Amino acid sequence: MRVIVGLKEMLAWANKMRQQGHRIGFVPTMGYLHDGHFSLIERARQVDDIVVCSIFVNPAQFGPQEDFGRYPRDLARDESLTEKAGVDILFCPRAEDIYPDGFKTRVSVESLSGKLCGRDRPGHFGGVTTIVAKLFNLVKPHNAYFGQKDAQQFVIIRQMVEDLNFDIQLHMLPIIREKDGLALSSRNKYLNDSERKAALVLSRAIKQARGLFERGIRTAEEILAGAEAEIAKEKLARLDYLALVDMASLEAVKVIAGAPVLLAMAIRIGGVRLIDNTIFNEENLWKTTWN
Ligand code: PAF
């Protein structure tokens, strides 16, 4: 595995690989890698002949009161794990190269970026789309892989790729969970023992909602009420939002019909903000929404 830091070096390598006819798979990350990331790397290894993983804790996607300073970082560990996972290039750019003095451009996807997590984190998705657009231009991937845990992020990046004509195939892979249901996240590291137990409320709420759906219930009112009742049982949980939305527009839906619908939530456990989601009618996602 080769580690690339410089932007020019990354670009030169990507151009060379493309000229030689290689297919580049790309897994962008903020590091502190877990099995969720490795499932993306594994898929990239199956689909592409060269795999690039980037690690960049992107200051532009953190609000002033957020955890940029204490976001977990362990480059030595990530380097050894990505090498074992079969990554060909680990791209770790420096913040001063990504955002040099005089940097003025921001890529932002209107409307979608202000919904759900965007309401609590103004500017967050603009930071994400700006860095992802830059990384796409530097790595020049044929395929890029993202996790469903950040489903809204995926919807927004997909819109950006479509609107700006990036010639990149996007893939969204399932949420990877601990045995007890907690969705893997680098931020789980912040949880103490009692918060870790309380954090199971997210997957329990999802289970409750899916149970209702499986029993034939289709109204948002009933499904949301079921999930909310589950959340209310956990004293340490403070709900930021719980929503049932159309997977393309992220607009609230009243009834789950045939189209893919996202049940998404953000919950604060102590000082830690966690997100989780599930998709109803997922089998229709790429057929009807993103065909
Ligand atoms: O999902 C993440 O880890 C980040 O938002 C991403 C896509 C790497 C952009 O910084």
Side-chain angles (χ1 to χ4, degrees):
M1 185 181 78
R2 176 166 154 195
V3 179
I4 296 184
V5 174
L7 272 46
K8 282 195 182 129
E9 193 188 342
M10 184 67 245
L11 195 51
W13 179 90
N15 283 329
K16 189 168 151 204
M17 289 305 116
R18 278 195 162 243
Q19 274 157 18
Q20 290 176 3
H22 291 294
R23 308 269 313 163
I24 303 173
F26 180 39
V27 180
T29 81
M30 297 208 299
Y32 210 71
L33 304 175
H34 52 65
D35 282 349
H37 299 115
F38 291 112
S39 74
L40 308 180
I41 291 170
E42 184 53 37
R43 179 64 63 87
R45 271 167 44 89
Q46 288 161 4
V47 174
D48 305 282
D49 51 340
I50 291 180
V51 178
V52 179
C53 172
S54 67
I55 295 183
F56 180 65
V57 185
N58 174 32
Q61 68 188 76
F62 291 80
Q65 311 304 328
E66 292 184 355
D67 56 343
F68 174 68
R70 68 171 186 136
Y71 193 84
R73 294 160 169 90
D74 190 343
L75 194 53
R77 170 185 167 275
D78 287 345
E79 205 175 313
S80 118
L81 291 175
T82 43
E83 175 142 43
K84 278 196 201 106
V87 167
D88 298 287
I89 299 289
L90 186 62
F91 179 40
C92 308
R94 291 192 200 93
E96 59 268 35
D97 294 335
I98 290 286
Y99 301 118
D101 285 347
F103 184 88
K104 289 188 183 60
T105 302
R106 196 164 169 89
V107 179
S108 111
V109 175
E110 284 171 22
S111 154
L112 296 177
S113 298
K115 298 180 193 298
L116 307 178
C117 284
R119 245 180 266 139
D120 303 320
R121 305 185 70 191
H124 166 68
F125 287 114
V128 170
T129 37
T130 303
I131 188 63
V132 171
K134 278 189 73 108
L135 291 169
F136 281 173
N137 284 331
L138 292 161
V139 174
K140 297 187 174 256
H142 297 83
N143 292 289
Y145 301 83
F146 297 86
Q148 185 196 310
K149 193 173 80 61
D150 295 297
Q152 181 180 11
Q153 168 174 281
F154 186 83
V155 170
I156 290 170
I157 291 171
R158 202 211 63 85
Q159 186 72 48
M160 175 189 81
V161 162
E162 177 131 326
D163 290 349
L164 299 186
N165 306 98
F166 281 99
D167 188 13
I168 298 171
Q169 181 67 50
L170 297 182
H171 304 256
M172 182 175 76
L173 271 66
I175 298 175
I176 304 293
R177 297 179 181 278
E178 303 276 10
K179 278 203 186 75
D180 60 7
L182 182 67
L184 295 193
S185 161
S186 306
R187 288 191 168 99
N188 291 348
K189 178 186 159 56
Y190 298 149
L191 299 166
N192 65 29
D193 286 351
S194 55
E195 291 167 344
R196 170 67 182 72
K197 272 190 208 127
L200 293 178
V201 70
L202 287 95
S203 52
R204 277 203 299 264
I206 285 173
K207 206 167 161 196
Q208 178 68 19
R210 290 220 72 101
L212 292 168
F213 181 79
E214 262 129 51
R215 293 207 292 280
I217 291 175
R218 293 290 182 272
T219 68
E221 200 181 337
E222 287 169 285
I223 288 186
L224 291 173
E228 222 167 312
E230 196 58 48
I231 295 163
K233 287 184 198 160
E234 176 47 67
K235 295 286 166 287
L236 289 183
R238 221 189 73 219
L239 183 62
D240 267 5
Y241 73 81
L242 172 71
L244 199 62
V245 297
D246 176 81
M247 201 58 205
S249 66
L250 301 181
E251 294 287 350
V253 298
K254 288 202 162 64
V255 175
I256 304 177
V261 167
L262 175 72
L263 175 77
M265 67 187 75
I267 292 182
R268 284 178 204 268
I269 308 283
V272 189
R273 186 176 182 280
L274 299 172
I275 56 172
D276 204 343
N277 69 69
T278 188
I279 301 171
F280 297 106
N281 297 327
E282 194 179 355
E283 63 285 3
N284 296 333
L285 194 52
W286 293 93
K287 273 186 266 164
T288 59
T289 309
W290 298 329
N291 51 1

